[in-house]
């Protein structure tokens, strides 16, 4: 089968797609468009961007019907090559979308390519019509100019495509593989230094798993003129969107680019190959519920960051202040862990996993998952092992064998690396399937490598003294459940006056009682807020003590 993709008007953002498909006489053809994509476990309904669908044989119209929102069907009355034509609106600029404009054509095939039921494993040729001065970046094998070959449907939709006349290409070697970096947008950083540091964390990751079964790997970057941050993993590539591009001249923003890049590279093994059984193979027509988000994204988040420490990109103080403090702050400014375990939050990704949701309903599989992974890593170090050894076993036992795993499989491998099965079983019951406070075990494990955590008073006095988090205009976005404010204020209340004066972001230090004028969705309210307890939402700071052998091992 063959896909032909072109644009008549790049600024309309519509791409025109033709699928030429050889059919047998009497064959019923079911064209299933994906309703979600790997790395984002929520229904996206790409079919809403399809229009002008038609089927022809020898330029004659063929009857077709839709059986549901994203399943098109027709019957081949005669043998021959049938042409399925349609237009797709490519107007989503993020790491999982597609985009067309006067400077580029960027495609994630998962957005608009059909899975043909019963013919998923047939090879597919893709011809993309682009201007002569455009360069193309993709992990798909190239068989001619602008003509590419995919082994099957899964291969094609896991291989994004980026093309532009202004695409910049760089590369580096690690072990026996070549790593390609493609940039669309302005570059405001030292390329040579970036390549050197990328090579550092790449080699560390390869060493941790023992091998990298790919000759080439592609980082595809969209460096945007506006604020953006997103990354999506693929079998042989990743797409990362970041902006504003000029902000990458500052080290703190470049560190974010490094963080997402190391994270997505770790996904080469974990998720792209070490995959939950519910995702092997992918069925993009319906939800695939998993409870193993702590492994898929929690371990990956922790490992992506820790390899920046192990490779020397971060020193210990930088890792603690720029990575770990943020993880702690996010985790303990929320009380979702009291209401839903990380396993249950993983299962509910399809429900509310990528939006704030109702107050304190869930935990982040990324954030809490990373802290759980840190605990496991430090617990295993006491046994002469590590979470890296666990993931290497996951790679050898599941990833390499194309075998899906579940939570029991992961726990069993962790247990093999520890002398006490009961300790590991209790840990999983308490923190993975359970809702126990993670802070005490984190504190104890960090102290085992002579890192002390201190809870300091939050510099935001409203948060610290009264337990309320405010937007700059005085609108309440969060209320501590143990504060006096919890029974007096509600989310969305807007503070207009404090003690008779116009709202100020920080009242005088030491004040425990304030008179508030509130706008509650158009209704004026006067109330007195008094809280003598205070010290809500503490800020976390790490203190590095004398080095010990365990910390040396952790940082190697």
């Amino acid at each position: 089968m063959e896909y032909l993709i072109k644009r008549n008007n790049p600024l309309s953002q519509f791409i025109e797609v033709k699928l030429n498909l050889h059919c047998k006489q009497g064959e019923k053809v079911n064209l299933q468009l994906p309703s979600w994509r790997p790395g984002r476990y929520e229904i996206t309904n790409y079919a809403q961007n399809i229009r002008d669908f038609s089927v022809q044989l020898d330029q004659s119209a063929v009857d077709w019907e839709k059986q549901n929102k994203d399943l098109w069907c027709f019957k081949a009355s005669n043998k021959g090559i049938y042409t399925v034509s349609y237009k797709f609106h490519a107007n989503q600029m993020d790491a999982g979308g597609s985009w067309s404009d006067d400077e580029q054509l960027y495609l994630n095939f998962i957005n608009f390519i059909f899975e043909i039921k019963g013919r998923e494993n047939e090879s597919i040729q893709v011809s993309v019509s682009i201007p002569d001065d455009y360069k193309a970046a993709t992990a798909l094998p190239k068989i001619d100019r602008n003509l590419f070959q995919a082994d099957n449907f899964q291969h094609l939709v896991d291989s994004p495509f980026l093309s532009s006349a202004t695409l910049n290409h760089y590369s580096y070697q690690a072990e026996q593989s070549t790593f390609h970096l493609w940039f669309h947008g302005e570059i405001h950083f030292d390329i040579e230094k970036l390549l050197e540091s990328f090579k550092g964390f790449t080699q560390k990751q390869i060493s941790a798993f023992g091998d990298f079964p790919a000759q080439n790997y592609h980082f595809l970057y969209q460096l945007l003129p506006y604020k953006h941050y997103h990354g999506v993993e693929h079998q042989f590539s990743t797409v990362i969107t970041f902006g504003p591009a000029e902000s990458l001249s500052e080290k703190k923003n470049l560190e974010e680019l490094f963080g997402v890049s190391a994270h997505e590279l770790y996904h080469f093994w974990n998720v792209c190959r070490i995959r939950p059984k519910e995702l092997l193979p992918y069925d993009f027509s319906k939800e695939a519920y998993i409870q193993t988000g702590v492994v898929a994204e929690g371990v990956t988040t922790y490992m992506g960051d820790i390899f920046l420490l192990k490779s020397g990109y971060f020193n210990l103080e930088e890792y603690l202040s720029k990575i770990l403090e943020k993880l702690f702050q996010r985790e303990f400014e929320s009380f979702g862990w009291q209401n839903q375990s990380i396993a249950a939050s993983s299962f509910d990704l399809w429900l509310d996993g990528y939006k704030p949701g109702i107050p304190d309903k869930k935990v982040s599989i990324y954030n809490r998952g990373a802290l759980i992974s840190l605990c496991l890593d430090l617990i295993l170090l006491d046994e002469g092992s590590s979470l890296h050894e666990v993931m290497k076993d996951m790679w050898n036992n599941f990833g390499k064998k194309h075998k899906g795993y579940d939570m029991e499989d992961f726990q069993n491998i962790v247990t093999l690396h520890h002398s006490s099965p009961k300790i590991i079983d209790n840990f999983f019951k308490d923190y993975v399937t359970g809702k126990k406070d993670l802070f005490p075990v984190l504190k104890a494990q960090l102290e085992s490598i002579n890192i002390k955590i201190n809870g300091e008073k939050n510099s935001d006095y409203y948060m610290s003294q009264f337990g309320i988090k405010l937007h700059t205009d005085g609108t309440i976005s969060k209320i501590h459940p143990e504060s006096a404010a919890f029974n007096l204020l509600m989310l969305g209340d807007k503070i207009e006056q404090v003690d008779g004066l116009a709202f100020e972001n920080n009242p005088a230090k030491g004040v425990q009682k304030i008179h508030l004028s509130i706008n509650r969705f158009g209704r004026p309210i006067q109330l007195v807020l008094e809280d003598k307890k205070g010290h809500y939402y503490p800020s976390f700071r790490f203190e590095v003590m004398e080095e010990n052998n365990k910390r040396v091992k952790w940082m190697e």
Side-chain angles (χ1 to χ4, degrees):
M1 66 184 74
E2 180 184 34
Y3 275 94
L4 307 174
I5 300 169
K6 68 175 184 176
R7 301 181 295 174
N8 284 328
N9 178 5
L11 297 181
S12 74
Q13 298 195 293
F14 278 99
I15 61 172
E16 299 186 11
V17 185
K18 288 186 184 295
L19 165 61
N20 292 325
L21 183 67
H22 188 277
C23 298
K24 300 176 182 178
Q25 184 176 6
E27 180 179 354
K28 185 178 180 181
V29 180
N30 294 315
L31 302 165
Q32 177 68 61
L33 195 73
S35 62
W36 60 280
R37 62 165 178 78
R40 187 82 170 186
Y41 307 109
E42 66 177 3
I43 296 297
T44 311
N45 289 324
Y46 296 117
Q48 63 190 309
N49 290 332
I50 298 285
R51 80 174 199 196
D52 298 337
F53 181 92
S54 66
V55 182
Q56 290 186 327
L57 174 64
D58 297 328
Q59 299 184 340
S60 296
V62 175
D63 291 336
W64 57 271
E65 65 176 3
K66 284 187 74 174
Q67 291 194 353
N68 59 42
K69 61 184 174 60
D70 43 32
L71 177 61
W72 285 257
C73 303
F74 70 90
K75 185 175 181 179
S77 55
N78 296 301
K79 177 182 177 181
I81 297 177
Y82 287 73
T83 299
V84 179
S85 302
Y86 55 97
K87 294 178 182 177
F88 176 79
H89 198 219
N91 72 330
Q92 180 182 332
M93 174 50 77
D94 61 26
S98 297
W99 183 266
S100 169
D101 66 20
D102 56 318
E103 287 190 337
Q104 65 169 301
L105 177 61
Y106 159 51
L107 304 173
N108 266 287
F109 296 107
I110 189 75
N111 302 160
F112 61 89
I113 293 294
F114 288 109
E115 180 176 17
I116 303 175
K117 295 298 185 180
R119 301 178 63 171
E120 302 92 340
N121 293 320
E122 291 185 22
S123 63
I124 305 171
Q125 285 193 358
V126 181
S127 175
V128 185
S129 179
I130 54 177
D132 291 341
D133 61 343
Y134 271 36
K135 289 173 280 188
T138 181
L140 283 173
K142 185 175 181 179
I143 56 178
D144 201 351
R145 173 168 171 76
N146 303 334
L147 183 62
F148 304 89
Q149 180 85 28
D151 295 338
N152 49 45
F153 168 78
Q154 296 267 345
H155 182 202
L156 178 56
V157 299
D158 208 16
S159 305
F161 176 93
L162 174 60
S163 62
S164 172
T166 58
L167 207 56
N168 289 299
H169 174 249
Y170 305 91
S171 66
Y172 63 91
Q173 294 287 130
E175 302 299 331
Q176 305 302 314
S177 303
T178 302
F179 293 80
H180 304 266
L181 285 78
W182 301 88
F183 295 98
H184 183 261
E186 296 180 359
I187 295 176
H188 292 270
F189 46 84
D190 188 315
I191 283 289
E192 292 305 318
K193 287 183 178 179
L194 181 137
L195 293 175
E196 182 180 356
S197 295
F198 266 51
K199 184 174 182 177
F201 72 68
T202 300
Q203 288 181 323
K204 282 289 185 179
Q205 290 194 19
I206 293 174
S207 295
F209 282 104
D211 60 345
F212 186 84
Q215 290 183 342
N216 293 278
Y217 183 87
H218 299 260
F219 292 91
L220 279 59
Y221 291 95
Q222 292 273 14
L223 303 181
L224 303 169
Y226 49 86
K227 188 172 179 61
H228 210 281
Y229 179 89
H230 192 211
V232 175
E233 69 273 13
H234 297 282
Q235 287 258 328
F236 299 100
S237 62
T238 178
V239 178
I240 293 170
T241 54
F242 196 98
E246 62 182 13
S247 73
L248 292 173
S249 62
E250 301 175 24
K251 190 174 187 297
K252 66 176 183 177
N253 295 314
L254 192 59
E255 288 167 354
E256 289 191 21
L257 186 72
F258 270 81
V260 67
S261 301
H263 177 107
E264 299 304 334
L265 180 60
Y266 195 85
H267 271 315
F268 173 89
W269 295 273
N270 193 27
V271 174
C272 288
R273 290 164 176 82
I274 307 170
R275 200 182 298 176
K277 64 180 182 181
E278 297 86 353
L279 303 178
L280 194 63
Y282 286 118
D283 181 348
F284 299 117
S285 68
K286 61 184 180 180
E287 296 89 340
Y289 297 97
I290 63 171
Q291 292 186 320
T292 48
V294 63
V295 185
E297 294 296 351
V299 170
T300 302
T301 300
Y302 171 68
M303 291 298 190
D305 292 332
I306 203 69
F307 278 114
L308 295 181
L309 173 65
K310 290 176 177 290
S311 66
Y313 180 73
F314 284 137
N315 60 39
L316 179 58
E317 287 73 16
E318 288 173 328
Y319 172 79
L320 294 175
S321 64
K322 297 177 180 183
I323 303 298
L324 212 51
E325 283 180 11
K326 289 181 180 178
L327 291 174
F328 268 70
Q329 212 65 47
R330 291 174 189 149
E331 175 68 13
F332 299 111
E333 275 189 11
S334 172
F335 297 91
W337 58 270
Q338 295 179 344
N339 301 307
Q340 191 174 64
S341 70
I342 192 169
S345 293
S346 177
F347 191 88
D348 275 1
L349 285 171
W350 297 94
L351 181 66
D352 62 358
Y354 299 94
K355 58 186 178 182
I358 62 175
D360 297 327
K361 183 253 182 184
K362 62 187 178 182
V363 298
S364 165
I365 63 170
Y366 298 82
N367 204 89
R368 186 172 178 86
L371 293 175
I372 288 172
S373 299
L374 168 62
C375 286
L376 282 173
D377 197 16
L378 294 176
I379 288 170
L380 293 172
L381 278 173
D382 287 328
E383 301 286 316
S385 187
S386 69
L387 189 57
H388 306 284
E389 293 299 317
V390 168
M391 293 308 295
K392 187 174 183 178
D393 281 356
M394 291 287 288
W395 169 236
N396 289 325
N397 293 331
F398 295 96
K400 283 186 175 181
K401 296 179 179 179
H402 307 288
K403 179 182 176 183
Y405 72 90
D406 58 21
M407 187 66 79
E408 184 179 358
D409 294 320
F410 178 66
Q411 182 176 337
N412 286 341
I413 288 184
V414 173
T415 302
L416 290 174
H417 289 263
H418 199 279
S419 59
S420 173
K422 186 174 182 180
I423 288 177
I424 298 303
D425 188 52
N426 287 338
F427 183 91
F428 274 75
K429 286 179 179 177
D430 288 343
Y431 306 112
V432 177
T433 58
K435 300 177 287 187
K436 196 169 181 179
D437 186 0
L438 191 59
F439 186 83
V441 67
L442 277 168
K443 183 174 183 292
Q445 289 303 320
L446 286 170
E447 287 177 353
S448 75
I449 55 173
N450 284 351
I451 295 175
K452 183 178 180 183
I453 183 166
N454 300 309
E456 301 177 357
K457 197 168 186 177
N458 197 307
S459 60
D460 184 316
Y461 202 71
Y462 281 111
M463 290 185 69
S464 177
Q465 183 60 42
F466 300 108
I468 53 178
K469 189 173 183 179
L470 304 170
H471 294 300
T472 55
D473 67 350
T475 302
I476 297 173
S477 61
K478 188 185 288 287
I479 308 173
H480 197 290
E482 297 176 3
S483 68
F486 192 74
N487 295 310
L488 292 173
L489 299 170
M490 66 184 293
L491 298 180
D493 280 352
K494 184 177 181 181
I495 300 176
E496 295 186 332
Q497 290 187 340
V498 181
D499 293 332
L501 300 175
F503 168 73
E504 293 178 359
N505 197 37
N506 288 300
K509 303 295 183 184
V511 173
Q512 297 178 344
K513 181 178 179 180
I514 50 178
H515 293 76
L516 299 177
S517 296
I518 302 292
N519 182 330
R520 181 168 290 167
F521 303 98
R523 178 161 52 98
I525 292 177
Q526 305 291 322
L527 58 84
V528 176
L529 177 58
E530 183 175 13
D531 198 321
K532 295 181 180 179
K533 180 182 176 182
H535 203 56
Y536 302 107
Y537 298 119
S539 297
F540 297 101
R541 297 290 180 269
F542 291 94
E543 183 179 354
V544 179
M545 314 297 282
E546 183 180 356
E547 187 175 79
N548 63 11
N549 290 335
K550 184 177 178 181
R551 192 165 85 208
V552 171
K553 184 69 175 175
W554 176 64
M555 293 177 60
E556 285 180 345

